[in-house]
């Protein structure tokens, strides 16, 4: 067996550092364009959803949490400028991060939080931080605030009352809007 190629080694090193929330300054700037990276986060989100699948009997949130609406009108999405897509993705990631942190606080205040649920909440927090960092490296944040533009439309939201629904929204957001956005930016070669 030979020594792994340099890009593969960088990818593996980056995947080890990103979950720690550490900035990956030496990471290839287009790491998010490697479909395996995003698929890893989608898989983690889907696993969390599957663990909490018994929505009716499963752990409920002690209060409703607001999350981004993950429905995508593909016709409208394709007609959006990449800056508008960036705004929607950043707003969604921000709201999703707040929602997961709120769920973490609610879980910490419960009498006996299930360990597996806490593990998935922690993974989601780490994953969202990493995805935010990767999008920053891609240059998505700069696309968000072009000069002399009208304010963005308000983000569509919904509320969830179970951990299952929260993780479903998380997984759907990553599989939907985030994947569509990163695919478009990577295809265009924009940064």
């Amino acid at each position: 067996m030979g020594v792994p190629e340099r890009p593969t080694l960088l990818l593996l090193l980056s995947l080890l550092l990103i979950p720690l929330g550490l900035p990956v300054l030496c990471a290839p700037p287009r790491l998010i364009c490697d479909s395996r990276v995003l698929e890893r986060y989608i898989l983690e989100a889907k696993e969390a959803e599957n663990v909490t699948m018994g929505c009716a009997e499963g752990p409920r949130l002690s209060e409703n949490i607001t999350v981004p609406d993950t429905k995508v009108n593909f016709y409208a999405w394709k007609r959006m400028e990449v800056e508008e897509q960036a705004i929607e993705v950043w707003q969604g990631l921000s709201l999703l991060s707040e929602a997961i942190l709120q769920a973490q606080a609610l879980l910490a205040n419960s009498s006996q939080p299930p360990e597996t649920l806490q593990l998935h909440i922690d993974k989601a927090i780490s994953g969202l931080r990493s995805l935010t960092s990767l999008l920053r490296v891609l240059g998505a944040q700069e696309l968000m605030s072009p000069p002399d533009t009208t304010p963005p439309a308000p983000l569509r939201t919904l509320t969830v009352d179970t951990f299952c629904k929260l993780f479903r929204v998380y997984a759907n957001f990553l599989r939907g809007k985030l994947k569509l956005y990163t695919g478009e930016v990577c295809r265009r070669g924009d940064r």
Side-chain angles (χ1 to χ4, degrees):
M1 290 179 53
V3 176
E5 293 180 28
R6 188 172 203 90
T8 305
L9 188 59
L10 275 174
L11 173 67
L12 291 173
L13 182 61
S14 297
L15 288 175
L16 289 172
L17 293 176
I18 288 172
L20 299 175
L22 300 175
V24 186
L25 300 176
C26 64
R30 304 191 59 78
L31 185 62
I32 192 84
C33 293
D34 184 338
S35 62
R36 296 172 293 184
V37 173
L38 188 54
E39 289 302 323
R40 177 178 160 250
Y41 293 105
I42 292 171
L43 180 63
E44 282 182 5
K46 194 69 183 144
E47 285 174 4
E49 179 188 355
N50 290 339
V51 164
T52 58
M53 197 55 109
C55 288
E57 314 80 44
R60 299 188 69 78
L61 296 162
S62 58
E63 59 187 63
N64 288 346
I65 295 179
T66 302
V67 293
D69 185 355
T70 59
K71 291 182 184 128
V72 178
N73 176 333
F74 292 100
Y75 177 76
W77 185 267
K78 287 183 185 227
R79 296 179 61 93
M80 289 171 81
E81 295 293 326
V82 73
E83 294 84 6
E84 294 172 292
Q85 292 174 355
I87 290 168
E88 192 155 332
V89 168
W90 276 109
Q91 287 177 334
L93 273 177
S94 176
L95 185 56
L96 210 43
S97 294
E98 289 174 28
I100 297 287
L101 288 171
Q102 186 179 354
Q104 181 187 43
L106 293 173
L107 190 61
N109 290 333
S110 66
S111 57
Q112 290 186 330
E115 283 184 38
T116 55
L117 190 53
Q118 184 62 52
L119 173 70
H120 288 292
I121 289 282
D122 293 344
K123 280 184 172 183
I125 290 168
S126 175
L128 286 164
R129 285 183 182 144
S130 299
L131 288 166
T132 300
S133 294
L134 287 170
L135 285 174
R136 275 194 190 109
V137 171
L138 187 62
Q141 200 167 19
E142 287 80 36
L143 291 174
M144 247 186 74
S145 50
D148 301 325
T149 59
T150 57
L155 183 67
R156 290 183 324 230
T157 62
L158 52 105
T159 58
V160 294
D161 59 355
T162 66
F163 284 96
C164 177
K165 290 175 185 174
L166 176 63
F167 286 125
R168 182 176 303 136
V169 167
Y170 176 42
N172 287 344
F173 185 84
L174 299 185
R175 275 195 308 243
K177 291 179 181 179
L178 183 63
K179 192 171 187 176
L180 285 170
Y181 170 71
T182 57
E184 179 63 22
V185 171
C186 293
R187 184 182 65 75
R188 287 182 179 199
D190 290 343
R191 267 213 254 161

